[in-house]
Amino acid sequence: MVSQENNCRICQEKSCASKVLSIGNLDILGNSCRTMTISKGETILHEGSLTSHVIYLRSGLVKETVKGIDSQEQIFKIIKGKTYLGMSSLFGDTINHFSYKALSDLTVCHIEISAFKQLMLENAEFTYKIMESQCKENLHNYDKLLKQGQKKIFGRLADALLYFSEDIFENKKFTLPLTQQEVANFIGTSRESTARGLSNFRQNGIISVNNSVVEILDLNCLKQVSRTG
Amino acid sequence: MVSQENNCRICQEKSCASKVLSIGNLDILGNSCRTMTISKGETILHEGSLTSHVIYLRSGLVKETVKGIDSQEQIFKIIKGKTYLGMSSLFGDTINHFSYKALSDLTVCHIEISAFKQLMLENAEFTYKIMESQCKENLHNYDKLLKQGQKKIFGRLADALLYFSEDIFENKKFTLPLTQQEVANFIGTSRESTARGLSNFRQNGIISVNNSVVEILDLNCLKQVSRTG
DNA sequence: GGTTTCCTGTGATATTTATCACAGTTTAAT
DNA sequence: ATTAAACTGTGATAAATATCACAGGAAACC
């Protein structure tokens, strides 16, 4: 981990919310903010630890996880750059409800919670923007979780592939950042079922898989599977 | 529905957030707020409709639902008094993602969204409180949804019973406000499996059921089932 | 009060999914 | 390059759950 002081004025990766901050506000932020790099595989934040900082993911890919029963890792979602991590825990509790682990090399900022709260109480538009983005995320998460409960495995797997293709990588061809075990933990099933699902999609010409490079060949069919369940 | 003008200054059912409002703020709220009663069975808000008002549930019990695939109703959660309804949709989108239906007679307030936003931008502490309560709710919801995905039916049913007993009615004995079909829609299973689960709990002396009056007889055992899944 | 409609309980069966087992592949480490 | 470790693919079987079917109860509606 390399850490350095930060000038938020000139940051190229501002969040939606911090774009509304005045120069004065940005300097308050910069004074309470440290940027650092984290390498793939490291854990940024542990479930169960006390909340102490706002963490802003500038760039890179992160998995948000919880320990399930018999302490199997459940993956809640994959997070890409320009996102605050663990806001619900930060404002809704004193301990973190999720762990965050780097799926790639990352750049993150640690912001002192007191400074962040000060900004929120001084600048209602900032708070409003933060709330807006949280609400958007929540709608998305609830939608995903509720649908997941109804769908069968092929449908959920299709959803996961579409999620990576459309939301995360914005490309029909991408390198899966997860092992099959992790995909299974993400869609709530067993590793074997995930493997069988991928085989099935491959055999039906819906996708191609080479090592961990996936390409969606028949998007309509995949969407169909996602709908049908 | 009976509607009347509202004096928010003297409201006995203020939300956590509106408790921090000044008298002036409360008058702004009161001028843009109408109180009404809604009877059991009516729908307050339809999924898919445009967001137009903040709705505050003063008293009563509401089910929050979404249409699942093949348009089966999924029950996301049960909501009791002193809660804003549909905040995520309101701030995260322009259409409502959930429907809200009365499980009992209700008192609700409709608040003009423009006035509410004005308050949020004028009073950052208010906004902060709103955000805080949203975050608490989210942690709770995510926890529930994630665990639900891992547990088997008996575990989920146990959770639902504990939820009614501890969170909603705060009593070991309560009248189930849902039919078995609805309980099934709540825990994500079939009506028959729900019926079998309840029978099983009854036969094992964990609960007693008379019509829709449920009493938890062996709390420890029920919690055990909830844990074991 | 009688009829209709919705709700509940439970057996039998079919479907879905997990688990076990193990061989073949890829990746990482020396 | 070679070995070890982790990951992947697939069959066989077991467990969980849904679905179908139907009878008996409760509630609601003339």
Side-chain angles (χ1 to χ4, degrees), chain A residues 7-35:
Chain A
N7 181 346
C8 293
R9 285 196 206 184
I10 57 163
C11 178
Q12 295 299 303
E13 287 127 348
K14 284 199 190 75
S15 71
C16 282
S18 63
K19 281 181 187 156
V20 309
L21 291 177
S22 68
I23 290 194
N25 285 161
L26 285 171
D27 288 341
I28 294 176
L29 198 59
N31 288 332
S32 321
C33 174
R34 290 192 77 81
T35 302

Side-chain angles (χ1 to χ4, degrees), chain A residues 179-181 191-192 195-196 199 202-203:
Chain A
T179 65
Q180 289 190 2
Q181 178 63 65
R191 182 192 65 77
E192 294 92 327
R196 274 185 255 270
S199 291
R202 212 183 320 115
Q203 281 158 29

Side-chain angles (χ1 to χ4, degrees), chain B residues 9-125:
Chain B
R9 287 195 202 186
I10 57 164
C11 179
Q12 295 299 300
E13 286 126 348
K14 285 200 189 73
S15 71
C16 282
S18 63
K19 280 181 187 155
V20 309
L21 292 176
S22 68
I23 291 195
N25 285 162
L26 285 171
D27 288 342
I28 293 175
L29 198 61
N31 288 333
S32 321
C33 174
R34 291 191 77 80
T35 301
M36 60 186 79
T37 59
I38 290 180
S39 28
K40 183 173 171 170
E42 281 190 76
T43 298
I44 310 168
L45 217 56
H46 283 276
E47 177 183 356
S49 64
L50 289 169
T51 57
S52 59
H53 288 84
V54 176
I55 295 181
Y56 182 62
L57 177 63
R58 283 173 68 165
S59 63
L61 218 56
V62 166
K63 63 174 175 177
E64 185 176 35
T65 65
V66 261
K67 269 213 280 287
I69 43 182
D70 66 48
S71 67
Q72 245 234 330
E73 171 183 277
Q74 281 186 277
I75 299 180
F76 180 48
K77 62 185 302 197
I78 309 298
I79 301 171
K80 56 180 185 176
K82 302 197 187 184
T83 312
Y84 294 101
L85 304 183
M87 296 293 261
S88 293
S89 300
L90 204 56
F91 295 105
D93 199 354
T94 55
I95 62 161
N96 288 301
H97 287 223
F98 298 92
S99 293
Y100 297 87
K101 294 171 198 164
L103 292 175
S104 70
D105 292 346
L106 311 176
T107 312
V108 304
C109 297
H110 278 210
I111 306 164
E112 281 169 30
I113 192 168
S114 56
F116 199 82
K117 282 192 179 170
Q118 187 196 332
L119 279 183
M120 288 181 74
L121 292 173
E122 274 180 19
N123 190 328
E125 198 187 347

Side-chain angles (χ1 to χ4, degrees), chain A residues 15-18 21 29 44-45 49-57 62 64 76-77 79-80 82-100 109-121 123 125-138 141-142, chain B residues 127-140 142:
Chain A
S15 71
C16 282
S18 63
L21 291 177
L29 198 59
I44 311 168
L45 216 57
S49 63
L50 288 170
T51 57
S52 58
H53 288 84
V54 175
I55 295 181
Y56 181 61
L57 176 63
V62 167
E64 186 176 34
F76 181 48
K77 61 184 304 195
I79 301 173
K80 56 180 185 176
K82 302 197 187 183
T83 311
Y84 293 101
L85 304 183
M87 296 292 263
S88 293
S89 299
L90 203 56
F91 295 106
D93 200 354
T94 56
I95 62 161
N96 289 302
H97 287 224
F98 299 92
S99 293
Y100 297 86
C109 298
H110 277 208
I111 306 164
E112 280 170 30
I113 193 167
S114 56
F116 199 81
K117 282 192 181 173
Q118 187 196 333
L119 280 183
M120 288 182 75
L121 291 173
N123 190 329
E125 199 187 347
F126 177 66
T127 314
Y128 189 88
K129 287 280 179 196
I130 298 257
M131 178 151 167
E132 217 168 53
S133 63
Q134 288 302 109
C135 286
K136 282 202 182 90
E137 248 190 56
N138 287 331
N141 296 339
Y142 289 142
Chain B
T127 313
Y128 189 88
K129 286 279 178 196
I130 297 256
M131 179 152 166
E132 216 169 52
S133 63
Q134 289 302 110
C135 285
K136 283 203 181 92
E137 248 190 57
N138 287 331
L139 289 175
H140 197 272
Y142 290 141

Side-chain angles (χ1 to χ4, degrees), chain B residues 145-173:
Chain B
L145 286 170
L146 283 167
K147 285 210 180 116
Q148 178 163 307
Q150 284 210 308
K151 288 184 186 178
K152 302 195 204 74
I153 286 181
F154 283 17
R156 283 188 250 164
L157 184 57
D159 280 347
L161 293 173
L162 289 168
Y163 176 67
F164 283 115
S165 168
E166 298 181 342
D167 295 352
I168 303 293
F169 296 108
E170 300 172 28
N171 199 319
K172 282 193 171 185
K173 192 170 182 174

